[in-house]
Structures are given as C-alpha cells and as structure tokens.
Amino acid sequence: MALRDWIDEALRREFSTETVSVLDESHLHAGHAGWREGGETHFRVDVVSPAFAGKSRVERHRLVNQALAPAFARGLHALAIKARAPGE
Amino acid sequence: MSDAHAQIDNEVKSNDVVLFMKGTPQFPMCGFSGQVVQILNYVGVPYKGVNVLDDEGIRNGIKEYSNWPTIPQLYVKGEFVGGCDITREMFQSGELQQLLAEKGLPVTKPAA
C-alpha cells in the first residue's frame, strides 16, 4: 500500500473521522534532506476530529505523530500537521 | 543519561530560547527550520540555533528528548514549545510573542 493511503486510513481509523486530507508534498522538497526518488517522504495532513477538543497544540500533534509512528518507520521524513476539533 | 541527552539538556536549560534546526540561523538547510528562523528574527528575540546536522547523536537524541519525531524544535526557558506548524500558528495568533513576554524575554516586535 502506498504510504499516502496508509496515512489516510490510519488517521481516519485513529481519530474516528472522515474529515482527513493527506497531501504528498515530497516533490516540493526534491533534492533536499530526507527526500528520495519516488516521493512519499514529505506529507501535509489536515484532520478534523472531536479527539482534539480541549487539547493543546502540542498534545494534538503528539496524537497525530503517535498514530503515524509506523509511517515514520517507513521513511516518512517531514509532516506538516493541522489538527482541529469540529467547529474550529 | 547518554552524552547526547546531557548535551541537549544543557542547551535547553542554559539558553532562554533555543532552536534545534537543520543548518544555522544564517544558512537554514530546510524550509521548516527556515520558517522558524524567520519568525524568531521577525519578533526579534535573541536565540541560539543548534545545527543537528553537525551531530548525529543530537539529531537522533532530540527526537527522543521531547518524544517529538521531527525537526525543527523550539524551546523557551527549558520548555518545549513545538515545531514549525505550532510556532507559526502561535506567531500568527500573537501567542508566541505573549509567551516570550510572559517569560520576561525581550522582543522588538510584540504582538499587535
């Protein structure tokens, strides 16, 4: 499974939400540190879930990073995160 | 405590504002690190940049130090503030400038 799809599924599952967007921005970093042929190294995710309500920015990012720990192990290098509770 | 951990701990505790980054404030080697540098320069707070590319032990150790898998990482008065996204959001909302002011750190551009 492509890493992009794995990330998308993991976020939907872990945060019980359908409001997930996953962008592979690896091409924007071509030639930079962490980049590799074939992409799938630099991602931008946007997740809206009640799981983030009442949580600080650092707590939200930690939850996303934890959910995607296996992706970091698979070569994910950079992750831009937007994590919002519904209504934000 | 490993050498790298002790070194990181010392940087975090002996500098009011420290940014673990790729490259240096003068020559950032990564767009995310560069964004945080621009923000810190803009608000005008003195800070130390630690180039993780110079030391593999620090590069790996900093990810464990705050259980945070990515670089850059910003620390203020010994506390982990966040990475690029969080720093940018806090800057845009004025919270970063407020945090620095609350910690008694000089900024040349306080929040509006």
Side-chain angles (χ1 to χ4, degrees):
Chain A
M1 183 191 282
L3 192 57
R4 199 214 76 86
D5 298 334
W6 187 91
I7 290 172
D8 190 82
E9 269 187 26
L11 293 173
R12 286 173 201 274
R13 184 179 64 242
E14 295 293 325
F15 298 106
S16 309
T17 177
E18 291 304 311
T19 318
V20 167
S21 97
V22 180
L23 283 179
D24 183 348
E25 297 191 330
S26 306
H27 60 287
L28 299 177
H29 301 268
H32 290 196
W35 177 82
R36 64 181 178 199
E37 197 69 45
E40 301 233 285
T41 50
H42 294 66
F43 285 89
R44 175 175 299 277
V45 302
D46 189 346
V47 187
V48 181
S49 167
F52 300 127
K55 295 210 161 60
S56 73
R57 289 191 177 89
V58 168
E59 287 168 335
R60 293 172 184 208
H61 282 232
R62 280 196 199 288
L63 289 173
V64 173
N65 285 330
Q66 276 159 21
L68 300 184
F72 279 100
R74 277 182 61 183
L76 172 59
H77 172 78
L79 186 63
I81 298 172
K82 204 181 254 185
R84 297 172 289 158
E88 288 180 354
Chain B
M1 199 187 277
S2 70
D3 283 357
H5 187 100
Q7 232 176 313
I8 291 166
D9 202 50
N10 182 51
E11 294 285 13
V12 165
K13 287 175 179 161
S14 59
N15 295 289
D16 285 338
V17 182
V18 56
L19 177 65
F20 290 85
M21 62 178 292
K22 292 181 180 170
T24 64
Q26 288 72 36
F27 295 102
M29 300 290 286
C30 151
F32 302 103
S33 291
Q35 281 186 46
V36 179
V37 162
Q38 281 189 345
I39 289 168
L40 295 177
N41 288 348
Y42 181 85
V43 301
V45 68
Y47 65 98
K48 178 172 185 185
V50 176
N51 182 1
V52 304
L53 299 177
D54 279 347
D55 188 321
E56 196 65 21
I58 289 184
R59 183 176 184 173
N60 292 318
I62 194 67
K63 297 179 181 178
E64 287 160 20
Y65 184 77
S66 287
N67 184 28
W68 195 263
T70 50
I71 292 156
Q73 294 184 18
L74 179 66
Y75 294 79
V76 173
K77 289 271 186 189
E79 285 171 28
F80 176 59
V81 174
C84 174
D85 293 318
I86 289 178
T87 303
R88 194 186 57 248
E89 286 174 20
M90 288 180 69
F91 166 67
Q92 285 166 347
S93 68
E95 286 164 84
L96 180 67
Q97 298 88 319
Q98 202 181 331
L99 172 75
L100 294 169
E102 278 168 10
K103 300 283 187 185
L105 297 168
V107 291
T108 55
K109 280 232 173 47

